[in-house]
Amino acid sequence: MIDIAKLAALAVHYDAGDPRRVQHFIKVYGYCQLLGRSEGLDAHTQNVLEAAALLHDIGIHEAERRFGSSAGPYQEQEGPAVARPLLREAGADEEESRRVCWLIAHHHSYGAGEDTDFRILLEADFLVNADEDGLPRESILAAREQLFRTGSGRALLDDIFLAKPYII
């Protein structure tokens, strides 16, 4: 099992001085934790998902350095090489590292698979990005239909962005 607390500390240290990125991955991690448990992932898959959530954007700094851009394809390309030593230090075995790196390398490739852990990572990242980017309702509705696959993810999206506010 990957030591999630240790990995989180390593990821925060890697992104030291960049609070926006740290806060982003912590929020994605929180949603992945909630959605994975709601969808009934087994403990091993949940652990790997949480590790991927913490590291999903770990390639941004390297992408910016190499390409002058943090675009999704560059993040996906650069992320696994940055993630591997952090995963090793947090106790990931080869299989766990391989899966986390695959998730990192595809987290902007919405059609890359239907595995529940992958879909949850996409959904969690969207939930955070929708808020951080102030996406309009039309974009959120489109993502609900095209991106979201889990019942828990759809319900959370609906409650956060599509429900009418409760007024006393």
Side-chain angles (χ1 to χ4, degrees):
M1 292 284 269
I2 301 165
D3 183 338
I4 295 298
K6 184 170 189 170
L7 187 62
L10 292 166
V12 169
H13 182 72
Y14 181 84
D15 279 337
D18 194 345
R20 191 185 84 199
R21 291 216 172 89
V22 171
Q23 291 168 12
H24 175 83
F25 75 68
I26 292 294
K27 288 185 275 188
V28 172
Y29 163 76
Y31 281 132
C32 281
Q33 189 177 54
L34 175 65
L35 293 173
R37 290 178 181 178
S38 296
E39 290 297 314
L41 294 183
D42 64 83
H44 181 262
T45 304
Q46 182 71 36
N47 179 255
V48 169
L49 171 62
E50 290 177 14
L54 291 169
L55 300 180
H56 75 282
D57 281 344
I58 201 77
I60 287 178
H61 291 299
E62 190 62 19
E64 289 173 336
R65 187 187 72 72
R66 290 190 67 205
F67 303 105
S69 172
S70 64
Y74 297 134
Q75 291 178 39
E76 290 179 335
Q77 178 181 323
E78 299 303 315
V82 177
R84 279 187 196 95
L86 302 178
L87 288 162
R88 191 169 28 255
E89 192 169 339
D93 65 26
E94 186 54 40
E95 176 193 336
E96 292 163 339
S97 184
R98 180 196 56 75
R99 182 61 179 170
V100 171
C101 287
W102 187 91
L103 291 166
I104 292 167
H106 294 88
H107 81 277
H108 286 287
S109 302
Y110 295 164
E114 293 299 323
D115 292 337
T116 304
D117 60 340
F118 176 61
R119 300 315 303 183
I120 289 171
L121 180 59
L122 297 179
E123 292 172 8
D125 198 26
F126 181 86
L127 288 167
V128 175
N129 286 329
D131 179 57
E132 290 176 351
D133 298 342
L135 290 185
R137 182 178 178 87
E138 299 77 34
S139 297
I140 291 168
L141 286 168
R144 188 187 193 285
E145 296 307 311
Q146 298 167 11
L147 172 65
F148 280 67
R149 304 279 196 279
T150 70
S152 300
R154 283 191 185 117
L156 195 56
L157 178 81
D158 291 350
D159 283 347
I160 294 170
F161 294 104
L162 302 174
K164 295 187 188 253
Y166 177 74
I167 299 174
I168 298 175

